[in-house]
Amino acid sequence: MSDRYNFRRSTRVKQLPPHRHRGPPQDPTPRIALKVEELDLEKSYVGTFVSPKRQRPKKSRPWAKQTGTDPITDPAKLPRGWHMKEDDLEHNDIDGQIERCHERIAENIMPHVFQQRLQDYTAAKVKEDDMRFPGSEELSWETVQRVHELETMKTDLASTTDDYEQLPNIGALLEAYTSGELHWNTGLVTYWWKGAQVSQPRPFDWDEFEAINSHHQGYKGFWVEGICGLENESSYAAMTLFPHSRYQKLIGLTLAIRLPGIAWFAELEFIHDTGCSRMTMFQADLSVLLGPFGGAVGPRVPVICMSTSNTGNGLVTREVIEVEVTILDGNRQRMIAWTRTFCNLVPGGWSPNGAPRLDGPIVSDLLYVASVPNGIHQLYVSTTRFELGLPDLNLATNPGQHMPTVLNPLPPGTFATTHGPWLPSVGGNLWFPPAASGVP
């Protein structure tokens, strides 16, 4: 049984019985009955719990430094190996991204592209600053975000009927966060009942939850803080290449996109969304895709039709355009031929703390795709079924698990992210990406 699936790690009281493969559907869910008296709810795991983080690559600048004073805006004249990605920065590292935009603009290579990006991140910075409140200077940004989410919930409940008696819990949480007594700790939860905190921060455990909830008759007035929030919970059904830095339960991936007839492509960040039937981008992305034309009048974007889409906010109407898309591997080689596809345009522009772009069915339509129930939450993609490089797990002895089961606190350095064979950590040439072996 894997350490990740073994969710007796926090109490060390009992072990689950062996998993029986191919059991009938009438079999019960494996669980262990715990007594609250057996749980050390006063033990805090802050400082001992290590939340796994993907190691980001170092800053890569394989091209020669621009020495001329005139900006390079012609894609044919871009330095060999040039790219617009910032692999060493998190997308939600707003200060770092703003600093990098100024650096890129000073390089004078496609500066208008990074001026647009600078506008996006500057607007996001203003939005963050506006969310700060008196006394929040010592609070983490995650805690500030959570306070705003709780305030919204409080307002909504106050205007309706608090059927589950959660207002006392929300009020207590707001007081704990704003006073600095409680902090947002990714991967840890606290339990609350009728406005009182009943545990210190600890990893979530389904059996512990059931024991604590049952002890407090938690059909009303019960709250698990930390299991939801700060992830823009959505109805997207998604698989994983790597967990996105902002949407931890969803995939983040980069697609190379261009408009028909323009010898320039942009690498844009998307969420891999198997529940989205069509690629979705923002209206403002077109200025980036126009590349050498910048804000000037350039080629007209091919419009296909208007479309209605069902979303969580109801029926919306979107303009549909034609774009060309490919996927680059770790050597910056095309994994597929450039492919024409439909794309819905959403009004407005992309923001690092706003709604994401959605890739639609592109990845699963054009590549072999597989996942492994090993708890690492990655999606393996390849141009052939023989190169997926999947580890072979015995699910009878190492069954997969469903979130929100979390990792046992591990010593630093013991968690390693594995990469599929299609993602070697080496650089490559950009312009234009040559096809990978076997790709037309």
Side-chain angles (χ1 to χ4, degrees):
M1 182 179 294
S2 69
D3 286 339
R4 185 175 175 85
Y5 184 73
N6 175 15
F7 48 80
R8 284 279 56 73
R9 61 201 170 279
S10 57
T11 60
R12 308 295 184 185
V13 176
K14 299 177 181 178
Q15 294 288 334
L16 281 172
H19 173 70
R20 288 199 305 116
H21 198 46
R22 293 181 176 274
Q26 290 79 14
D27 280 354
T29 300
R31 58 167 37 89
I32 296 173
L34 297 177
K35 296 180 179 179
V36 171
E37 294 77 13
E38 297 175 338
L39 307 178
D40 184 4
L41 298 181
E42 293 304 313
K43 179 180 179 180
S44 172
Y45 286 81
V46 175
T48 60
F49 176 82
V50 180
S51 182
K53 293 183 179 180
R54 178 164 64 96
Q55 203 68 21
R56 299 198 72 83
K58 294 182 178 179
K59 179 180 175 181
S60 174
R61 290 292 185 275
W63 56 88
K65 187 175 181 180
Q66 160 74 341
T67 56
T69 57
D70 295 332
I72 295 178
T73 59
D74 184 352
K77 296 180 180 179
L78 291 175
R80 186 173 181 81
W82 184 89
H83 61 80
M84 61 185 290
K85 294 182 65 178
E86 311 296 354
D87 288 336
D88 59 314
L89 296 177
E90 294 286 356
H91 302 301
N92 56 357
D93 179 5
I94 293 180
D95 291 332
Q97 292 282 2
I98 288 176
E99 181 180 351
R100 185 63 54 80
C101 286
H102 287 296
E103 179 183 326
R104 289 281 212 158
I105 292 170
E107 282 185 353
N108 232 3
I109 303 174
M110 303 299 289
H112 58 279
V113 171
F114 299 100
Q115 288 166 354
Q116 175 68 48
R117 183 180 291 178
L118 178 61
Q119 291 179 16
D120 295 337
Y121 275 101
T122 300
K125 179 67 173 176
V126 171
K127 183 177 179 180
E128 278 195 3
D129 292 341
D130 289 344
M131 290 178 67
R132 288 283 179 179
F133 50 86
S136 67
E137 295 78 16
E138 301 300 322
L139 303 181
S140 69
W141 172 238
E142 291 79 11
T143 301
V144 172
Q145 287 179 286
R146 186 56 175 162
V147 167
H148 278 272
E149 290 178 347
L150 291 167
E151 290 283 8
T152 300
M153 297 179 199
K154 181 179 179 180
T155 301
D156 289 344
L157 280 179
S159 62
T160 58
T161 55
D162 185 13
D163 294 333
Y164 293 95
E165 301 175 5
Q166 295 290 19
L167 278 173
N169 288 323
I170 294 175
L173 284 166
L174 284 170
E175 182 177 350
Y177 278 129
T178 55
S179 66
E181 294 180 4
L182 182 67
H183 301 276
W184 182 268
N185 298 289
T186 301
L188 300 179
V189 302
T190 51
Y191 294 90
W192 299 73
W193 183 60
K194 294 186 176 180
Q197 184 175 349
V198 298
S199 83
Q200 293 299 312
R202 60 194 297 106
F204 181 81
D205 180 300
W206 276 117
D207 290 328
E208 288 185 358
F209 161 77
E210 291 181 354
I212 299 169
N213 181 277
S214 176
H215 177 79
H216 292 286
Q217 298 181 344
Y219 56 91
K220 286 186 177 182
F222 192 83
W223 186 287
V224 184
E225 174 64 5
I227 201 66
C228 295
L230 304 188
E231 293 188 25
N232 285 350
E233 295 284 345
S234 67
S235 60
Y236 309 144
M239 298 179 290
T240 305
L241 291 166
F242 287 107
H244 191 275
S245 58
R246 180 170 174 81
Y247 307 91
Q248 291 293 319
K249 294 179 183 177
L250 304 180
I251 268 202
L253 77 159
T254 300
L255 296 178
I257 307 289
R258 69 186 184 191
L259 295 173
I262 298 181
W264 153 263
F265 72 87
E267 295 172 81
L268 303 179
E269 301 297 327
F270 287 75
I271 288 293
H272 177 54
D273 187 357
T274 59
C276 181
S277 59
R278 186 175 298 140
M279 177 183 287
T280 298
M281 294 191 310
F282 292 92
Q283 189 78 35
D285 289 333
L286 296 181
S287 63
V288 176
L289 294 178
L290 286 169
F293 301 96
V297 178
R300 296 185 179 276
V301 180
V303 175
I304 296 174
C305 63
M306 298 294 288
S307 156
T308 56
S309 301
N310 287 307
T311 71
N313 291 325
L315 200 64
V316 297
T317 301
R318 295 285 183 253
E319 188 175 45
V320 183
I321 66 168
E322 176 192 358
V323 298
E324 297 174 0
V325 60
T326 191
I327 304 171
L328 307 185
D329 65 11
N331 288 318
R332 305 190 64 74
Q333 309 292 297
R334 285 189 294 106
M335 298 184 70
I336 58 174
W338 282 101
T339 304
R340 290 172 290 184
T341 188
F342 307 111
C343 181
N344 280 6
L345 287 182
V346 177
W350 175 84
S351 170
N353 50 18
R357 305 179 185 95
L358 307 176
D359 70 340
I362 288 293
V363 175
S364 54
D365 277 359
L366 301 177
L367 290 168
Y368 287 89
V369 179
S371 61
V372 179
N374 56 4
I376 299 177
H377 294 276
Q378 294 177 352
L379 192 71
Y380 296 81
V381 299
S382 175
T383 54
T384 73
R385 64 187 177 92
F386 305 103
E387 296 175 355
L388 287 171
L390 303 178
D392 188 13
L393 301 181
N394 184 340
L395 296 184
T397 57
N398 293 278
Q401 74 290 314
H402 175 67
M403 289 297 283
T405 303
V406 295
L407 287 170
N408 187 37
L410 297 174
T414 59
F415 181 83
T417 300
T418 59
H419 297 267
W422 53 277
L423 275 178
S425 56
V426 294
N429 298 326
L430 168 78
W431 206 260
F432 264 99
S437 177
V439 178

